[in-house]
Amino acid sequence: MQNTLRDAAIVELRSRVLEACIMQSKLPDGMPLDVLVNDTLYHEKKRLDIDRKSPTRAEDQAFWAGVKAKLSRGSEDDVRDVLAQIIGRFAEEIRGNFSQSLYSVATKVMPKALPILLNAMSPRRLMQRGIPDISDTIVIEGETEAIKKVAKRGTVILTPTHVSNLDSPVIGWAIYALGLPAFTYGAGLNLFSNPMMALFMRNLGAYRVDRLKTAPLYKDVLKEYATVSLEMGNHNLFFPAGTRVRSGKIEQRLKLGLLSSGLKAYINNLQRAKERPNIYIVPATLNYYLVLEAETLIEDHLQREGKSRYIITDDESYLMRKILQFSQNLVNLEARITVRIGDPIDPFGNRVDPDTGASLDRHGREIDIRKYVTDRAGQAVHLPQRDRVYTQEAGESIAREFLRHNVVVATQLTAFTVWEVLKKRHPDLDLYRLVRTGDEGFGIPLGALTEKVMIVWKALHARAERGELHLENGIVQSGDAAGIVRAALRHFGTYHSKPVLTRKGDRVFCEDMKLLHYYSNRLRGYGLERELGQALAAEVTA
Amino acid sequence: MNAGAKTAAVLGGGSWGTALAHVMACNGTKVLLWMRNDERVAEVNERHTNERYLKDRKIHTDVEATADLQRAAEFAETLIVAIPSANFRSVAYELGDFVRGDQILVSATKGFEAEHLTRMSELLREETCCRKIGAISGPNLADEVMDNQPTATVVASPYEEVIEKTAALLAGPTMRVYGNHDIVGVEVHGALKNIIAIAAGMATGMKLGQNASAMLLTRGLAEISRFAEALGADKLTALGLAGLGDLIATCSSPLSRNNTLGRKLSEGLTLAQAQADTVKVAEGVNTTFAAAKHASRLGVDMPITRGIHAVLFDDLSAAEVLSKLMARANRYEHSEFPIDAPHLVEGSVVETALAVAARERGW
């Protein structure tokens, strides 16, 4: 968001949230303002007790001590002032420091910097080949024209899948490469503390999200920030999973908090009779051969439900050595990261005709979506319960699009096949035991594995033909099962601490069951297990 | 759309659709009832009866019938759809040409589309642009409703607006309305209870006693609630009006068409013969087919449904099915685990060793 716009957004944001707080406090069951301030104070004090590393800790402590002092002797007007200050402080924290001139520099530097970051080539190869073209590393495909068209007709919310901290720079690059204007996006504070990531985020329209702040008022300010920025016509980037997916699966349960900003902004736009009120959601998938932080993520996932950490601040993406190693891998193996742009949908989850910007039902009939939110008099109104269900339905549409635009790569396909074979071999073991015991050193003959990969490939290919998913251009598309296994072994053998799969003689062994599970999970949700299961059962009978 | 007076439209002039139109009219609502047959439209408008389905019962004069779907679709904010499940999609598709996003659509049909186990509210969602969609279900035998007997029904929808507005149309001196957000549970129970109703009809036909019918009802409820839960329903819905309530009404009433069908089948008639002399559609036949088809995919054991399926489509007799069901292995009531199968060993290492040793000694 540009600075002038951003100042205007802050003014709007402050008055909007303050007004809402005052209005609800007057309701019979509303929260009185002093209780609201106290509640926020309580959450913030609790956070400061835990968050001892925060660079603004002393400052924050002083601010909240001041709030406490004013509150104890304050009149009603004082409480209102204190509340306004708190809202203002949260808003300033969130907005970050965007600079147009720095943005211009960054966008010029990025095309050169990102390939170096991602490719991290040896000086010798750099000398030989020069700076590589980023498009060799990041492939952008899918509905690229559609996103450009709808970006001209309204405001876009880009919602990609989220597996890695590399997602932000990668999607940032894709936005730049598509020739779209800068997108505003909320990035966790932890990303700003990582020097590599901060380089790409600080000045690319990112606003700061502190996930340790649990005060409901902070979350309200945050959501309203996104809403205001959308109303001002700033395209936004949300990761609807909220955090990196730990299991490796394609996210199907989405966090709807931020997503609801899209519908809220749309209704506000209608109320203000904006010329281009429409908000378009564009799902996208990010597809990696190997995931930078896979080891930490799956480890966290397997800590069983409830124990896993929401925020991880010590994974591979914080280690320069690992990032370089990962990047080198990308270049040496000519691995590509595929960004696939999905079809645009409206804030209610209907598909959109990119040429006209109109929403369509399943039979292609045009829908007047204003009717979803207008009352009998034709006025657009917010109805929180109704709007939550609308947003939930939009979330379901995004989840479906994620599955449809998933691009299958060789590592996932091979890992899935091996995992299912091992699971079949040990029907008595539950997930955790299987992960611990592994394949007990038996391995799978290469020829047998290739056959099974072919079975899964055929099932995938049939689904791809029906438009239910996509196969990566190249080896996976070709259907050369032996080549797919070779490609997977090549990748799995390099980057991770232990090779996920390795070939010894004519057998393939798994050396890291957790990672095998992680990579296999990307193909869950398509019912492939049954098809491979039937083939394996037939084999046993034979 | 009419401003001022309360209005509603009902699509489908069968017994339940007509009864719903009548109830709403009794509550002071102008109701437009859409039906395809011109003669019956004339009958409702001129004589205020729908003899084919409701004999000589009088329909409220504020119910007007029409064969014009567009007019019905545009007549009111709330539309109740009571079309047999077999024709539901095609009518919903036609309706899609006329409705707008601010309208409320409520399904009053209990059944599935067999191929993908699609619920009726899902069909409305798929075939129209409407989002504010709900479903009505409960122990509501149409004839009793027409006779102004007290009853209660459930309006289910994720949207509170749908529940509130539909309840305002239906609730009156003879009908209580309960809301439920669990539309999946309400619809699935409403549909599946028809399978048990067919079984109950067979039990009546075979002159089985009260013990047998209680066994059928409770074990029937157990299997349909397992199925509903596998589809994402809330456990508690099974114990509500749309679950247990509807099951009791349908299974114990000779008025129920599924119950009647079951009775005829137990007398040795084939499905075609049993259905030959009735104009009302027994939804349980379609539902049995759909549920049996999808139960194994969902990993749900449905022995009673399998049995009814065998009678309906594989020409097994009711008596044969009963003896097969009675010969099943004895099981734990909640887990369905066979009593005489070896249990999974659990507990400490010592307990495990003791349990294995005991098992080896034949205990």
Side-chain angles (χ1 to χ4, degrees), chain A residues 346 348-350 361-363 365-368 371-376 383 385-390 393-394 397 400 530, chain B residues 4 77 89 92-97 100-103 125-132 157-161 165 181 297:
Chain A
D346 66 25
F348 308 93
N350 297 304
D361 75 3
R362 292 188 193 206
H363 299 288
R365 296 177 290 205
E366 213 168 280
I367 305 172
D368 180 2
K371 294 281 184 194
Y372 288 137
V373 293
T374 47
D375 60 14
R376 283 180 195 174
L383 272 180
Q385 199 277 337
R386 175 201 68 191
D387 296 348
R388 269 198 298 279
V389 186
Y390 282 151
E393 295 193 5
S397 292
R400 276 195 297 272
R530 235 179 319 144
Chain B
E77 183 187 15
R89 188 185 281 279
Y93 172 70
E94 283 181 59
L95 186 64
D97 284 341
R100 301 171 315 272
D102 54 348
Q103 285 180 285
R125 172 80 172 73
E126 285 177 15
E127 298 298 330
T128 72
C129 68
C130 292
R131 290 307 175 83
K132 296 177 199 168
S157 173
Y159 295 92
E160 279 167 13
E161 190 187 348
K165 289 186 171 163
H181 285 130
R297 177 179 65 82

Coordinates of all heavy atoms in Angstrom, one line a residue, chain A residues 346 348-350 361-363 365-368 371-376 383 385-390 393-394 397 400 530, chain B residues 4 77 89 92-97 100-103 125-132 157-161 165 181 297:
Chain A
D346 N -15.6 -15.4 -6.3 CA -16.1 -14.2 -5.6 C -16.1 -14.4 -4.0 O -15.8 -15.6 -3.6 CB -17.5 -13.7 -6.1 CG -18.6 -14.7 -5.8 OD1 -18.4 -15.5 -4.8 OD2 -19.6 -14.8 -6.5
F348 N -18.2 -15.2 -2.1 CA -19.2 -16.2 -1.7 C -18.8 -17.6 -2.2 O -19.5 -18.5 -2.0 CB -20.6 -15.8 -2.2 CG -20.9 -14.4 -1.9 CD1 -20.7 -13.4 -2.8 CD2 -21.5 -14.1 -0.7 CE1 -21.0 -12.1 -2.5 CE2 -21.8 -12.8 -0.4 CZ -21.6 -11.8 -1.2
G349 N -17.7 -17.6 -3.0 CA -17.2 -18.9 -3.5 C -17.7 -19.3 -4.8 O -17.4 -20.4 -5.3
N350 N -18.5 -18.4 -5.5 CA -18.9 -18.6 -6.9 C -17.7 -18.4 -7.8 O -16.9 -17.5 -7.6 CB -20.0 -17.7 -7.3 CG -21.3 -17.9 -6.5 OD1 -21.8 -19.0 -6.4 ND2 -21.7 -16.8 -5.8
D361 N -23.2 -19.2 -11.8 CA -23.6 -20.4 -11.1 C -23.0 -21.6 -11.9 O -22.3 -21.4 -12.9 CB -25.1 -20.5 -10.9 CG -25.9 -20.9 -12.1 OD1 -25.2 -21.1 -13.2 OD2 -27.1 -20.9 -12.1
R362 N -23.3 -22.8 -11.4 CA -22.6 -24.0 -12.0 C -23.0 -24.2 -13.4 O -22.3 -24.9 -14.1 CB -23.0 -25.2 -11.2 CG -22.3 -25.1 -9.9 CD -22.4 -26.4 -9.1 NE -22.1 -26.1 -7.7 CZ -21.6 -27.0 -6.9 NH1 -21.5 -28.3 -7.3 NH2 -21.3 -26.7 -5.7
H363 N -24.1 -23.6 -13.8 CA -24.5 -23.8 -15.2 C -24.2 -22.5 -16.1 O -24.7 -22.4 -17.2 CB -26.0 -24.0 -15.3 CG -26.4 -25.3 -14.6 ND1 -26.1 -26.5 -15.1 CD2 -27.0 -25.5 -13.4 CE1 -26.6 -27.4 -14.2 NE2 -27.1 -26.8 -13.2
R365 N -24.9 -19.5 -15.5 CA -25.9 -18.4 -15.5 C -25.3 -17.3 -14.6 O -24.8 -17.5 -13.5 CB -27.2 -18.9 -14.9 CG -27.9 -19.9 -15.8 CD -29.2 -20.4 -15.3 NE -28.9 -21.3 -14.1 CZ -29.8 -22.2 -13.7 NH1 -30.9 -22.5 -14.4 NH2 -29.6 -23.0 -12.7
E366 N -25.5 -16.0 -15.0 CA -24.9 -14.9 -14.2 C -25.7 -14.7 -12.9 O -26.9 -14.8 -12.9 CB -25.0 -13.6 -15.1 CG -23.8 -12.7 -14.8 CD -23.8 -11.6 -15.9 OE1 -23.3 -11.9 -17.0 OE2 -24.3 -10.5 -15.6
I367 N -24.9 -14.4 -11.9 CA -25.5 -14.2 -10.6 C -25.3 -12.7 -10.2 O -24.2 -12.2 -10.3 CB -24.8 -15.0 -9.5 CG1 -24.8 -16.5 -9.8 CG2 -25.5 -14.8 -8.1 CD1 -24.0 -17.4 -8.9
D368 N -26.4 -12.1 -9.7 CA -26.3 -10.8 -9.1 C -25.9 -10.9 -7.6 O -26.8 -11.1 -6.8 CB -27.6 -10.0 -9.3 CG -27.6 -8.6 -8.7 OD1 -26.5 -8.2 -8.2 OD2 -28.6 -7.9 -8.7
K371 N -27.3 -9.3 -4.3 CA -28.6 -9.8 -3.6 C -28.2 -10.6 -2.4 O -29.1 -10.7 -1.5 CB -29.4 -10.7 -4.6 CG -29.9 -9.9 -5.8 CD -31.2 -9.2 -5.4 CE -31.8 -8.5 -6.6 NZ -32.8 -7.5 -6.2
Y372 N -27.1 -11.2 -2.3 CA -26.7 -12.0 -1.2 C -26.7 -11.1 0.1 O -26.8 -11.7 1.2 CB -25.3 -12.6 -1.4 CG -25.3 -13.8 -2.4 CD1 -24.3 -13.9 -3.3 CD2 -26.3 -14.7 -2.4 CE1 -24.2 -14.9 -4.2 CE2 -26.2 -15.8 -3.3 CZ -25.2 -15.9 -4.2 OH -25.1 -16.9 -5.1
V373 N -26.4 -9.9 -0.1 CA -26.1 -9.0 1.1 C -27.1 -7.9 1.3 O -26.9 -7.0 2.2 CB -24.7 -8.5 1.2 CG1 -23.7 -9.7 1.3 CG2 -24.3 -7.8 -0.1
T374 N -28.0 -7.8 0.4 CA -28.9 -6.6 0.5 C -30.2 -7.0 1.2 O -30.7 -8.1 1.1 CB -29.3 -6.0 -0.9 OG1 -29.6 -7.1 -1.8 CG2 -28.1 -5.3 -1.5
D375 N -30.8 -6.0 1.8 CA -32.1 -6.3 2.5 C -33.2 -6.0 1.5 O -33.0 -5.7 0.3 CB -32.2 -5.4 3.8 CG -32.2 -3.9 3.5 OD1 -32.3 -3.6 2.3 OD2 -32.0 -3.2 4.5
R376 N -34.5 -6.0 2.0 CA -35.6 -5.9 1.1 C -35.6 -4.5 0.4 O -36.1 -4.4 -0.7 CB -36.9 -6.1 1.9 CG -37.2 -7.5 2.2 CD -38.5 -7.7 2.9 NE -38.5 -9.1 3.4 CZ -39.4 -9.5 4.2 NH1 -40.4 -8.7 4.6 NH2 -39.4 -10.7 4.7
L383 N -24.4 -8.8 8.2 CA -25.1 -9.7 9.2 C -24.0 -10.7 9.6 O -23.8 -11.7 8.8 CB -26.3 -10.4 8.5 CG -27.6 -9.8 8.5 CD1 -28.7 -10.7 7.8 CD2 -28.1 -9.5 9.9
Q385 N -23.5 -13.3 11.4 CA -23.7 -14.8 11.4 C -23.8 -15.3 9.9 O -23.1 -16.2 9.5 CB -25.0 -15.2 12.2 CG -25.0 -16.7 12.6 CD -25.5 -17.6 11.5 OE1 -26.3 -17.2 10.5 NE2 -25.2 -18.9 11.5
R386 N -24.6 -14.6 9.1 CA -24.8 -14.9 7.7 C -23.4 -14.8 7.0 O -23.0 -15.7 6.3 CB -25.8 -14.0 7.1 CG -26.0 -14.1 5.6 CD -26.6 -12.8 5.0 NE -25.6 -11.7 5.0 CZ -25.9 -10.5 4.8 NH1 -27.1 -10.1 4.4 NH2 -24.9 -9.5 4.8
D387 N -22.7 -13.7 7.3 CA -21.4 -13.5 6.6 C -20.4 -14.5 7.0 O -19.5 -14.9 6.1 CB -21.0 -12.1 6.9 CG -22.0 -11.0 6.3 OD1 -22.8 -11.5 5.5 OD2 -21.9 -9.9 6.7
R388 N -20.5 -15.0 8.2 CA -19.5 -16.1 8.6 C -19.8 -17.4 7.7 O -18.9 -18.0 7.3 CB -19.7 -16.5 10.1 CG -18.8 -15.7 11.0 CD -18.7 -16.4 12.3 NE -19.9 -16.5 13.0 CZ -20.5 -15.5 13.7 NH1 -19.9 -14.3 13.9 NH2 -21.6 -15.7 14.4
V389 N -21.1 -17.7 7.5 CA -21.4 -18.9 6.7 C -20.9 -18.6 5.2 O -20.4 -19.5 4.6 CB -22.9 -19.3 6.8 CG1 -23.1 -20.6 6.0 CG2 -23.3 -19.4 8.2
Y390 N -21.2 -17.4 4.7 CA -20.7 -17.1 3.4 C -19.2 -17.3 3.2 O -18.7 -17.9 2.3 CB -21.0 -15.7 3.0 CG -22.5 -15.4 2.6 CD1 -23.0 -14.1 2.8 CD2 -23.2 -16.3 2.0 CE1 -24.3 -13.8 2.5 CE2 -24.6 -16.0 1.6 CZ -25.1 -14.8 1.8 OH -26.4 -14.5 1.5
E393 N -18.2 -20.9 3.2 CA -18.5 -21.5 1.8 C -17.4 -21.0 0.9 O -16.9 -21.8 0.0 CB -19.9 -21.1 1.3 CG -20.9 -21.7 2.2 CD -22.3 -21.7 1.6 OE1 -22.5 -21.2 0.5 OE2 -23.3 -22.1 2.3
A394 N -16.9 -19.8 1.0 CA -15.8 -19.3 0.1 C -14.6 -20.1 0.4 O -13.8 -20.5 -0.5 CB -15.6 -17.8 0.3
S397 N -14.7 -23.4 -1.2 CA -14.4 -23.3 -2.6 C -12.8 -23.1 -2.8 O -12.3 -23.7 -3.8 CB -15.0 -22.0 -3.3 OG -16.4 -22.2 -3.3
R400 N -11.3 -26.5 -2.5 CA -11.5 -27.3 -3.7 C -10.5 -26.9 -4.8 O -9.9 -27.7 -5.5 CB -12.9 -27.2 -4.2 CG -13.9 -28.1 -3.5 CD -15.2 -28.2 -4.2 NE -15.9 -26.9 -4.3 CZ -16.7 -26.4 -3.4 NH1 -17.0 -27.2 -2.4 NH2 -17.3 -25.2 -3.5
R530 N -7.2 -46.0 -2.3 CA -8.1 -47.2 -2.7 C -7.6 -47.9 -3.9 O -7.5 -49.1 -4.0 CB -9.5 -46.7 -2.9 CG -10.5 -47.5 -2.0 CD -11.9 -47.0 -2.1 NE -12.0 -45.6 -2.3 CZ -12.9 -44.9 -3.0 NH1 -13.7 -45.6 -3.8 NH2 -12.9 -43.6 -3.1
Chain B
G4 N -45.5 -6.2 2.1 CA -46.6 -6.1 3.1 C -47.0 -7.4 3.7 O -46.4 -7.9 4.6
E77 N -40.2 -14.4 -0.8 CA -38.8 -14.5 -0.4 C -38.5 -15.9 -0.1 O -37.4 -16.4 -0.4 CB -38.6 -13.6 0.8 CG -37.1 -13.5 1.3 CD -37.0 -12.8 2.6 OE1 -37.9 -12.5 3.3 OE2 -35.8 -12.4 2.9
R89 N -33.7 -32.6 -8.7 CA -32.7 -31.9 -9.4 C -33.2 -31.2 -10.6 O -32.9 -30.0 -10.8 CB -31.5 -32.8 -9.8 CG -30.3 -32.0 -10.3 CD -29.2 -32.9 -10.8 NE -28.4 -33.5 -9.8 CZ -27.4 -32.8 -9.2 NH1 -27.1 -31.6 -9.5 NH2 -26.6 -33.4 -8.3
A92 N -35.2 -28.2 -9.5 CA -34.2 -27.2 -9.0 C -33.5 -26.5 -10.1 O -33.3 -25.3 -10.0 CB -33.2 -27.9 -8.0
Y93 N -33.1 -27.2 -11.1 CA -32.4 -26.6 -12.3 C -33.3 -25.6 -12.9 O -32.9 -24.4 -13.2 CB -32.0 -27.7 -13.3 CG -31.5 -27.1 -14.5 CD1 -30.2 -26.4 -14.6 CD2 -32.2 -27.2 -15.7 CE1 -29.8 -25.9 -15.7 CE2 -31.7 -26.6 -16.9 CZ -30.5 -26.0 -16.9 OH -30.0 -25.4 -18.0
E94 N -34.6 -26.0 -13.2 CA -35.6 -25.0 -13.8 C -35.7 -23.8 -12.9 O -35.7 -22.6 -13.4 CB -36.9 -25.7 -13.9 CG -37.0 -26.6 -15.1 CD -38.5 -27.2 -15.1 OE1 -39.4 -26.4 -15.3 OE2 -38.6 -28.4 -15.0
L95 N -35.8 -24.0 -11.6 CA -36.0 -23.0 -10.6 C -34.8 -22.0 -10.7 O -35.0 -20.8 -10.5 CB -36.0 -23.6 -9.2 CG -36.4 -22.7 -8.0 CD1 -37.8 -22.1 -8.2 CD2 -36.3 -23.5 -6.7
G96 N -33.6 -22.5 -11.0 CA -32.4 -21.7 -11.1 C -32.5 -20.6 -12.0 O -31.8 -19.6 -11.9
D97 N -33.4 -20.7 -13.0 CA -33.6 -19.6 -14.0 C -34.3 -18.4 -13.4 O -34.2 -17.3 -13.9 CB -34.4 -20.1 -15.2 CG -33.6 -20.9 -16.1 OD1 -32.4 -20.8 -16.1 OD2 -34.2 -21.7 -16.9
R100 N -33.3 -15.5 -7.1 CA -32.2 -14.6 -6.9 C -31.5 -14.9 -5.6 O -32.0 -15.6 -4.7 CB -32.7 -13.2 -6.8 CG -33.4 -12.7 -8.1 CD -34.0 -11.4 -7.8 NE -34.7 -11.4 -6.5 CZ -36.0 -11.8 -6.3 NH1 -36.7 -12.1 -7.4 NH2 -36.5 -11.8 -5.1
G101 N -30.3 -14.3 -5.4 CA -29.5 -14.6 -4.2 C -30.1 -14.2 -2.9 O -29.6 -14.7 -1.8
D102 N -31.1 -13.3 -2.9 CA -31.6 -12.9 -1.6 C -32.8 -13.8 -1.1 O -33.3 -13.6 -0.1 CB -32.1 -11.5 -1.6 CG -33.0 -11.2 -2.7 OD1 -33.2 -12.0 -3.6 OD2 -33.6 -10.1 -2.7
Q103 N -33.1 -14.8 -1.9 CA -34.2 -15.7 -1.6 C -33.8 -16.9 -0.7 O -32.6 -17.3 -0.7 CB -34.9 -16.2 -2.8 CG -35.8 -15.1 -3.5 CD -36.5 -15.6 -4.7 OE1 -35.8 -15.7 -5.8 NE2 -37.8 -15.8 -4.7
R125 N -28.4 -26.0 -3.7 CA -27.2 -25.2 -3.7 C -26.5 -25.4 -5.1 O -25.9 -24.4 -5.7 CB -26.3 -25.7 -2.6 CG -24.9 -25.2 -2.6 CD -24.9 -23.8 -1.9 NE -23.5 -23.4 -1.7 CZ -22.7 -23.0 -2.7 NH1 -23.1 -23.0 -3.9 NH2 -21.5 -22.6 -2.4
E126 N -26.5 -26.6 -5.6 CA -25.8 -26.9 -6.9 C -26.5 -26.3 -8.1 O -25.9 -25.9 -9.0 CB -25.6 -28.4 -7.1 CG -24.5 -29.0 -6.2 CD -24.4 -30.5 -6.4 OE1 -25.0 -31.1 -7.4 OE2 -23.8 -31.1 -5.5
E127 N -27.8 -26.3 -8.0 CA -28.6 -26.0 -9.2 C -29.1 -24.5 -9.3 O -29.6 -24.1 -10.3 CB -29.8 -26.9 -9.4 CG -29.4 -28.4 -9.5 CD -28.6 -28.6 -10.8 OE1 -28.8 -27.9 -11.8 OE2 -27.8 -29.6 -10.8
T128 N -29.0 -23.8 -8.2 CA -29.4 -22.4 -8.2 C -28.3 -21.5 -7.7 O -27.3 -22.0 -7.2 CB -30.7 -22.2 -7.3 OG1 -30.2 -22.3 -5.9 CG2 -31.7 -23.3 -7.5
C129 N -28.5 -20.2 -7.7 CA -27.5 -19.3 -7.2 C -27.8 -19.1 -5.7 O -27.0 -18.3 -5.1 CB -27.6 -18.0 -8.0 SG -29.1 -17.0 -7.6
C130 N -28.9 -19.6 -5.1 CA -29.2 -19.3 -3.8 C -28.2 -19.9 -2.8 O -27.7 -21.0 -3.0 CB -30.6 -19.8 -3.4 SG -31.9 -18.9 -4.4
R131 N -28.0 -19.2 -1.7 CA -27.1 -19.7 -0.6 C -27.9 -19.9 0.7 O -27.5 -20.7 1.5 CB -26.0 -18.7 -0.3 CG -25.0 -18.6 -1.4 CD -24.5 -19.9 -1.7 NE -23.6 -19.9 -2.8 CZ -22.3 -19.6 -2.7 NH1 -21.8 -19.3 -1.5 NH2 -21.5 -19.6 -3.7
K132 N -28.9 -19.1 0.9 CA -29.7 -19.2 2.1 C -30.6 -20.4 2.0 O -31.7 -20.3 1.5 CB -30.4 -17.9 2.4 CG -29.5 -16.7 2.6 CD -30.4 -15.5 2.8 CE -29.6 -14.2 2.5 NZ -30.4 -13.1 2.4
S157 N -30.5 -25.2 9.2 CA -29.7 -24.4 8.2 C -28.5 -23.9 8.9 O -28.6 -23.5 10.1 CB -30.6 -23.3 7.6 OG -29.8 -22.4 6.8
P158 N -27.4 -23.7 8.2 CA -26.3 -23.0 8.8 C -26.6 -21.5 9.0 O -26.0 -20.8 9.8 CB -25.1 -23.2 7.8 CG -25.7 -23.6 6.6 CD -27.1 -24.2 6.9
Y159 N -27.6 -21.0 8.3 CA -28.0 -19.6 8.4 C -29.1 -19.4 9.4 O -30.2 -19.9 9.2 CB -28.4 -19.1 7.0 CG -27.3 -19.1 6.0 CD1 -27.2 -20.2 5.1 CD2 -26.5 -18.0 5.8 CE1 -26.2 -20.2 4.2 CE2 -25.5 -18.0 4.8 CZ -25.4 -19.1 4.0 OH -24.4 -19.1 3.1
E160 N -28.9 -18.6 10.4 CA -29.9 -18.3 11.4 C -31.1 -17.6 10.7 O -32.2 -17.7 11.1 CB -29.3 -17.4 12.5 CG -28.6 -18.3 13.5 CD -27.7 -17.6 14.5 OE1 -27.9 -16.3 14.6 OE2 -26.9 -18.2 15.2
E161 N -30.8 -16.8 9.7 CA -31.8 -16.0 9.0 C -32.9 -17.0 8.4 O -34.1 -16.7 8.4 CB -31.2 -15.2 7.9 CG -32.1 -14.2 7.2 CD -31.4 -13.5 6.0 OE1 -30.2 -13.7 5.8 OE2 -32.1 -12.9 5.3
K165 N -36.7 -17.0 9.6 CA -37.8 -16.7 8.7 C -38.7 -17.9 8.4 O -39.9 -17.7 8.2 CB -37.2 -16.1 7.4 CG -36.6 -14.7 7.7 CD -36.2 -14.0 6.4 CE -35.8 -12.5 6.8 NZ -35.0 -11.9 5.7
H181 N -28.6 -26.1 13.6 CA -27.6 -25.7 12.6 C -27.1 -27.0 11.9 O -26.4 -26.8 10.9 CB -26.5 -25.0 13.3 CG -26.8 -23.6 13.7 ND1 -26.6 -23.1 14.9 CD2 -27.4 -22.6 12.9 CE1 -27.0 -21.8 14.9 NE2 -27.5 -21.5 13.8
R297 N -18.2 -47.7 1.3 CA -17.3 -46.6 1.0 C -17.0 -45.8 2.3 O -15.9 -45.4 2.5 CB -17.8 -45.7 -0.1 CG -17.0 -44.5 -0.4 CD -17.5 -43.7 -1.5 NE -18.8 -43.1 -1.2 CZ -18.9 -41.9 -0.5 NH1 -17.8 -41.3 -0.1 NH2 -20.1 -41.4 -0.3

